[in-house]
Amino acid sequence: MSRRLFACFRGKKPSSSTTKPVSGNNSAAVSADVPAGDGPVLVQLFSSQGCKTSPAAEMLMSRLGRGDFDAQIRGGEDGSGSGSPAMVLVFHVDYWDYKGWKDPYGSSQWTVRQKAYVEALNLDTMFTPQLVVQGRSQLNENEEETLLKSISEAPRFASPAFKASFQRPTSETLQVSLTGALRTKVDGDGLDIMVALYETGLVTDCERGENEGRMLSNDYVVRKMEKMCTVKDVTAKKSVSGTAHFTLWDGFNSSKCGVVVFLQNSSLHIFGTQSFKLPDEI
C-alpha cells in the first residue's frame, strides 16, 4: 500500500558456534565458525501491522529466513552450499498507526531508516510492504520469483569474522561485545558497524485497522538496533572491536531472539553480514 513521502545477533541458520560461560552473572561468549566465501545477502522488509498487504510479505520473509528458498537462490536442486544465501530483518514502521491499529513493534526510528532508503534509491513515495535487497535495490510487491532473482543477482561480500560476548549488566539491559576481522577492506569513506537485536515467533490478535480480526505472525522483527562504531582505512584482516548496549523490553525471551551484525556505508549499502543466536545463559 502506498503513502506519500513525508516533507561499532535467533535466525534460521546462524553461523555455527560454540558457547562458553564467562566471568560475571548472566554472561556468555560465542565463537562463530564463519564459512569461507561470500556471506548472505541482507533482505530488509519495511512493514506494518496496520497495512493490509503486509502480512503476505511477512510470511514470505518467514519462509526466506528459515531457508525454504535456499536451493532456488543458489540455482541448485538440493540447496547445498556454505552458509545461508540470505538473511532477513523486518522493520515495523509507525506511519500506519493512524488507521486505527497501533503496531506494537512499530517505531519512528524504522520510519526514518525507510525514508533514508527512499531518498537513496531516488523514490518519491514511502509504502509498505517494501523490500530492500543488500541496500541497493527495492521491491514493492510480494512476488516470490522477483525477490529470489534480486537476491541471486545482488553483490555478495564475505561475512565478518566476529567473536561475540553477551552480558546482562542488569535484568533490563543486554551488552553485546564484538572482536574480529571485518574480512572487507574499508577505505577512507568508512563503514558503520550496525548491531540489530531481533525477535521471532511473534503472534498478535489484531483488533482494529485494515487487518481487524486477523491473527498476525511476525518473525525477524528488529526490536533494537545500534551503531557500534564507524571504521575507516581498515584492512580486511585487521581486528576491530566494540560494544553495543540495548535496553530490553517487557517479556524479553532470549530463546526467541538473535543478533545480526552488518556493515553499511553512508548510502546504506550493505557490505557484509553475520548472525549470532543468543546463548541460553543470557
Side-chain angles (χ1 to χ4, degrees), residues 8-9 15 39-46 86-91 109-110 113-114 116-117 132-136 157-162 176 178 181-184 186 190-198 220-231 240 244 246 258-276:
C8 196
F9 293 95
S15 304
V41 170
L42 181 62
V43 179
Q44 300 170 76
L45 169 66
F46 293 94
M87 193 171 293
V88 174
L89 289 176
V90 179
F91 296 88
Q109 183 180 356
W110 313 145
R113 182 171 179 84
Q114 185 185 20
Y117 271 119
V132 178
V133 179
Q134 206 70 323
R136 292 164 169 80
F157 305 88
S159 294
F162 284 122
V176 182
L178 303 171
L182 299 183
R183 300 178 73 200
T184 295
V186 183
L191 292 176
D192 294 330
I193 302 177
M194 308 298 297
V195 185
L197 176 63
Y198 69 83
Y220 308 101
V221 176
V222 179
R223 302 300 304 273
K224 303 285 181 176
M225 187 168 73
E226 298 291 340
K227 180 175 74 172
M228 188 179 78
C229 61
T230 300
V231 293
V240 174
F246 299 108
V259 167
V260 169
V261 182
F262 61 94
L263 314 179
Q264 69 178 23
N265 66 6
S266 58
S267 297
L268 305 184
H269 293 172
I270 308 302
F271 288 88
T273 309
Q274 185 181 5
S275 67
F276 294 88

Side-chain angles (χ1 to χ4, degrees), residues 16 18 32 39 46 49 63 74 76 86 119 121 138 148 156 162 170-171 174 198 213 221 223-224 263 272 275-276:
S16 58
T18 57
F46 293 94
Q49 289 189 351
R63 294 185 63 198
R74 294 193 179 101
E119 294 173 350
L121 297 172
Q138 66 87 34
L148 300 185
R156 296 180 65 185
F162 284 122
T170 69
S171 60
L174 174 67
Y198 69 83
V221 176
R223 302 300 304 273
K224 303 285 181 176
L263 314 179
S275 67
F276 294 88

Side-chain angles (χ1 to χ4, degrees), residues 121-161:
L121 297 172
N122 296 315
L123 307 174
D124 62 358
T125 60
M126 288 175 70
F127 49 84
T128 54
Q130 182 184 32
L131 293 157
V132 178
V133 179
Q134 206 70 323
R136 292 164 169 80
S137 63
Q138 66 87 34
L139 306 170
N140 58 0
E141 53 189 84
N142 296 328
E143 273 296 326
E144 176 184 310
E145 290 186 6
T146 304
L147 173 61
L148 300 185
K149 185 173 185 292
S150 296
I151 296 172
S152 297
E153 295 177 349
R156 296 180 65 185
F157 305 88
S159 294

Side-chain angles (χ1 to χ4, degrees), residues 48-246:
S48 173
Q49 289 189 351
C51 167
K52 187 175 183 178
T53 53
S54 282
E58 296 265 2
M59 181 63 69
L60 184 60
M61 290 301 96
S62 295
R63 294 185 63 198
L64 178 65
R66 67 175 178 245
D68 289 4
F69 307 116
D70 284 6
Q72 292 165 261
I73 293 172
R74 294 193 179 101
E77 294 291 334
D78 59 1
S80 62
S82 61
S84 175
M87 193 171 293
V88 174
L89 289 176
V90 179
F91 296 88
H92 280 219
V93 298
D94 66 349
Y95 54 81
W96 283 110
D97 290 359
Y98 83 100
K99 296 288 286 186
W101 176 253
K102 181 176 175 59
D103 191 326
Y105 312 114
S107 171
S108 60
Q109 183 180 356
W110 313 145
T111 298
V112 170
R113 182 171 179 84
Q114 185 185 20
K115 182 177 180 180
Y117 271 119
V118 169
E119 294 173 350
L121 297 172
N122 296 315
L123 307 174
D124 62 358
T125 60
M126 288 175 70
F127 49 84
T128 54
Q130 182 184 32
L131 293 157
V132 178
V133 179
Q134 206 70 323
R136 292 164 169 80
S137 63
Q138 66 87 34
L139 306 170
N140 58 0
E141 53 189 84
N142 296 328
E143 273 296 326
E144 176 184 310
E145 290 186 6
T146 304
L147 173 61
L148 300 185
K149 185 173 185 292
S150 296
I151 296 172
S152 297
E153 295 177 349
R156 296 180 65 185
F157 305 88
S159 294
F162 284 122
K163 295 181 180 180
S165 64
F166 300 88
Q167 291 184 310
R168 293 283 296 276
T170 69
S171 60
E172 295 83 21
T173 58
L174 174 67
Q175 180 176 294
V176 182
S177 299
L178 303 171
T179 300
L182 299 183
R183 300 178 73 200
T184 295
K185 182 180 179 180
V186 183
D187 60 21
D189 292 332
L191 292 176
D192 294 330
I193 302 177
M194 308 298 297
V195 185
L197 176 63
Y198 69 83
E199 187 173 14
T200 61
L202 298 170
V203 179
T204 305
D205 184 3
C206 188
E207 300 176 351
R208 294 179 297 279
E210 293 189 349
N211 290 308
E212 181 179 359
R214 299 184 65 176
M215 192 68 70
L216 304 178
S217 298
N218 303 122
D219 294 313
Y220 308 101
V221 176
V222 179
R223 302 300 304 273
K224 303 285 181 176
M225 187 168 73
E226 298 291 340
K227 180 175 74 172
M228 188 179 78
C229 61
T230 300
V231 293
K232 296 183 178 181
D233 296 316
V234 174
T235 65
K237 295 182 179 180
K238 183 177 176 61
S239 183
V240 174
S241 62
T243 300
H245 304 268
F246 299 108

